[in-house]
Amino acid sequence: MDIIWNSLRELITPTTAAYALAAIGLNVHFGFTGLLNFGQAGFVAIGAYGFAISVMTFGFSTPLAIAVTLVLAAGYALLLGVPTLRLRADYLAIVTIAAAEIIRFALNSSAFAKWTGGANGLYNEYSGWLKGSNPYPSGVVTVGPWTFGSNDLWIATVDWLVVLLTAGAIYLLVRSPWGRVLKGIREDEHAMLSLGKNVNLYKLQALVIGGVIGAAAGILYVQPTSVQPFDFATRMTFNMYTMLILGGAATVFGPILGSMIFWVVMRFTDELVNLGVDGGLFDNVTQGSQLRFVLVGVALVLLVVFRPQGILGNRTELSFDAK
Amino acid sequence: MPSKRDPILVADRVHRHFAGVTAVDVDHVEMPRGKITALIGPNGAGKTTFFNLLTGFDKPQTGAWSFEGKPIAGLAPWQVARRGMVRTFQLTKVLGRLTVLENMLLGSKNQRGERLLPFFWRKQERSDSARALEILERFKLGAKAHDYAASLSGGQRKLLEMARAIMNEPSLVMLDEPMAGVNPALTQSLLHHIKDLKNQGMTVLFVEHDMHMVRYVADWVIVMAEGRIIAEGVPGEVLSSTAVVDAYLGAHHDTDLRELVREMEA
Ligand SMILES: Nc1ncnc2c1ncn2[C@@H]1O[C@H](COP(=O)(O)OP(=O)(O)O)[C@@H](O)[C@H]1O
Ligand SMILES: [Mg+2]
């Protein structure tokens, strides 16, 4: 029974919330507008490092650090989008993945270690403001079947509030005529041009909005932990695509549900593997954790076979793709 | 060629070639305002390319043209559309995973809600929806309003694309083979719609291969062959000119055209 409860705890952890938020941003790109951003991890990294460095190196107040970081992410989106969005779709894909990797290598390198900590990353000396405003009693707090450190629970609360507010804003936007234009662009850019829509401007708006949400997710992501350059590898982006496919792309709550399922399954398989190691099934944890990814892969294949539109997606919509 | 009184569109020396093959080489052409003009010519004559050039979807090697008296060469396609010159595509471009009604609403101009405003757009949306449904009804698509556009037949997609262009309230609507693939039972009413556009004050330019239809609706006919404009005039004259018949027969021989010649001889 512990396995189940431990796994279900992932439903509300700060990591799940941060990934859900970043996936909401990616959904604006991919799900609603059809933009192939393979470097969402780059936006998350800018959020994490931008915030940490603003606070630790420049001594900015937390609100100022958040503002500076989000503006930085918007600038990064413009930098990637302006030259590529008028080209074919694959150019954005190449540029986003390359830029995200460049960022990660730069953050990892010793050249800028004075600010970034290089390969060691940064210790958490930036979440004081958030933790200082914690209204929960200190020590360990019990929520239903789970216990949390007081600060972790507070961070999770703030994170989920941000996720819900963002999802609400996205809900309003994608149901507005603006969101309809994005979907139109996803379906056929030329048709939208022939109707007088400035397609490049809309794509740029979508890229900036989704990217800024990704950076906000980066800020959330590092609140309970330290900053580690290794976290922002391409795998992070692909995990988010997995979440979109799981939950249902182009739906408002799909990315949130996708992140929850993803982390519960990851945790569950992790616990299974640990049981296997304890029971002598595997020689060591490494062997077991390879099996874990096999299990996750099988689960994904089953999902794609039996529910290709994701949990919340619309089957009719998907059936037209084959044409 | 003689200047028409108050043309809505004037083009000069428009030249487009692809790797040595001349697709369009139009010395001078004018579209009469408030009239229905048919652009005819054999396949490969350059009609679609000429549409693409005029609407900014393709760039010519040389050429200048003006719409409503203002030069528009070099504008982006969306800017051309905003000026009131809206085209449809020979290969239809419906927005498959949007409903028929959503397709129509995207044709609406000046919807504030398209400018990143999550609020304050519902009033216009209501009046737009009413107008969209009315146009759809005219095009016999009213019953399909809430279906995905991807579920429409080829002919229905043509109709939707035309209806969506009209939703944009253009002053010049350019239709690239609007009847192709449309159920013959519907073409008569489609022709009626085209005439109706003229009555509403729009100028229409359309590409069509069926000479009966051209004769029936067009006020003016422009004939293209091998990129050039080889004849223009009122349908009665142009369609019986030997140059036009030669252009068609020189390019290909299908039964449709033999019929045309027979009809002209009669
Ligand atoms: N993108 C292109 N690349 C190369 N050749 C083209 C292209 N578009 C059109 N053409 C050529 O230009 C000529 C005119 O084609 P098009 O404008 O489609 O004719 P129409 O619409 O009158 O049938 C044809 O010879 C065609 O092969
Ligand atoms: Mg053509």
Side-chain angles (χ1 to χ4, degrees), chain A residues 41-43 45-46 49 76 98-108 232:
Chain A
F43 285 100
I46 285 183
Y49 277 93
Y76 175 69
E101 283 298 273
I102 290 169
I103 286 180
R104 189 167 64 89
F105 280 116
L107 294 171
N108 197 40
F232 308 100

Side-chain angles (χ1 to χ4, degrees), chain A residues 148-214:
Chain A
F148 288 90
S150 172
N151 278 335
D152 278 353
L153 188 65
W154 173 231
I155 290 170
T157 309
V158 172
D159 283 6
W160 283 109
L161 215 60
V162 174
V163 169
L164 288 180
L165 284 176
T166 309
I170 294 298
Y171 174 83
L172 287 177
L173 280 176
V174 299
R175 283 170 52 99
S176 81
W178 181 80
R180 189 165 59 210
V181 173
L182 296 193
K183 291 178 214 162
I185 290 171
R186 180 190 71 194
E187 298 300 300
D188 195 311
E189 288 184 21
H190 282 162
M192 299 305 284
L193 287 170
S194 80
L195 296 170
K197 313 297 179 205
N198 185 352
V199 166
N200 288 339
L201 178 69
Y202 283 102
K203 290 204 279 189
L204 208 52
Q205 289 174 342
L207 190 68
V208 168
I209 290 174
V212 166
I213 293 174

Side-chain angles (χ1 to χ4, degrees), chain B residues 211 248-249 252-262:
Chain B
M211 296 307 146
Y248 265 97
L249 290 182
H252 65 170
H253 303 249
D254 37 54
T255 46
D256 204 47
L257 295 169
R258 288 176 197 284
E259 256 176 50
L260 162 71
V261 175
R262 234 178 287 126

Side-chain angles (χ1 to χ4, degrees), chain B residues 18 23 42-49:
Chain B
F18 296 100
N43 275 326
K47 304 177 298 292
T48 296
T49 306

Side-chain angles (χ1 to χ4, degrees), chain B residues 110-173:
Chain B
N110 306 320
Q111 167 54 276
R112 301 197 266 192
E114 289 182 358
R115 280 178 258 151
L116 256 181
L117 269 181
F119 308 105
F120 311 119
W121 47 267
R122 289 183 193 275
K123 190 162 159 240
Q124 188 181 350
E125 183 90 343
R126 271 194 296 275
S127 64
D128 283 348
S129 298
R131 197 161 61 87
L133 289 170
E134 183 197 316
I135 298 173
L136 285 175
E137 212 55 63
R138 267 196 274 149
F139 281 82
K140 307 270 186 296
L141 288 172
K144 296 264 174 192
H146 299 286
D147 292 358
Y148 283 110
S151 70
L152 298 182
S153 70
Q156 288 171 325
R157 290 177 192 212
K158 278 267 168 202
L159 294 175
L160 173 57
E161 212 186 38
M162 187 169 158
R164 194 176 64 190
I166 291 163
M167 185 74 190
N168 206 255
E169 300 174 283
S171 44
L172 170 62
V173 56

Side-chain angles (χ1 to χ4, degrees), chain A residues 74-88:
Chain A
Y76 175 69
L78 291 175
L79 190 72
L80 299 188
V82 168
T84 56
L85 284 176
R86 49 198 178 80
L87 305 175
R88 272 199 344 246

Side-chain angles (χ1 to χ4, degrees), chain B residues 102-243:
Chain B
E102 285 173 322
N103 268 264
M104 291 297 286
L105 291 170
L106 280 167
S108 155
K109 285 196 296 197
N110 306 320
Q111 167 54 276
R112 301 197 266 192
E114 289 182 358
R115 280 178 258 151
L116 256 181
L117 269 181
F119 308 105
F120 311 119
W121 47 267
R122 289 183 193 275
K123 190 162 159 240
Q124 188 181 350
E125 183 90 343
R126 271 194 296 275
S127 64
D128 283 348
S129 298
R131 197 161 61 87
L133 289 170
E134 183 197 316
I135 298 173
L136 285 175
E137 212 55 63
R138 267 196 274 149
F139 281 82
K140 307 270 186 296
L141 288 172
K144 296 264 174 192
H146 299 286
D147 292 358
Y148 283 110
S151 70
L152 298 182
S153 70
Q156 288 171 325
R157 290 177 192 212
K158 278 267 168 202
L159 294 175
L160 173 57
E161 212 186 38
M162 187 169 158
R164 194 176 64 190
I166 291 163
M167 185 74 190
N168 206 255
E169 300 174 283
S171 44
L172 170 62
V173 56
M174 301 169 60
L175 309 168
D176 199 348
E177 305 204 10
M179 329 287 189
V182 174
N183 181 345
L186 269 178
T187 50
Q188 194 59 34
S189 71
L190 199 58
L191 289 175
H192 183 77
H193 293 323
I194 292 179
K195 282 196 163 179
D196 205 40
L197 297 180
K198 181 172 82 167
N199 296 337
Q200 291 169 27
M202 281 181 222
T203 304
V204 181
L205 173 65
F206 75 111
V207 174
E208 183 48 54
H209 286 299
D210 186 320
M211 296 307 146
H212 295 94
M213 296 186 191
V214 171
R215 218 181 261 278
Y216 180 66
V217 289
D219 302 304
W220 194 254
V221 179
I222 298 173
V223 189
M224 272 185 97
E226 293 171 0
R228 295 169 186 279
I229 291 180
I230 57 162
E232 64 174 314
V234 292
E237 280 171 24
V238 168
L239 295 182
S240 50
S241 118
T242 46

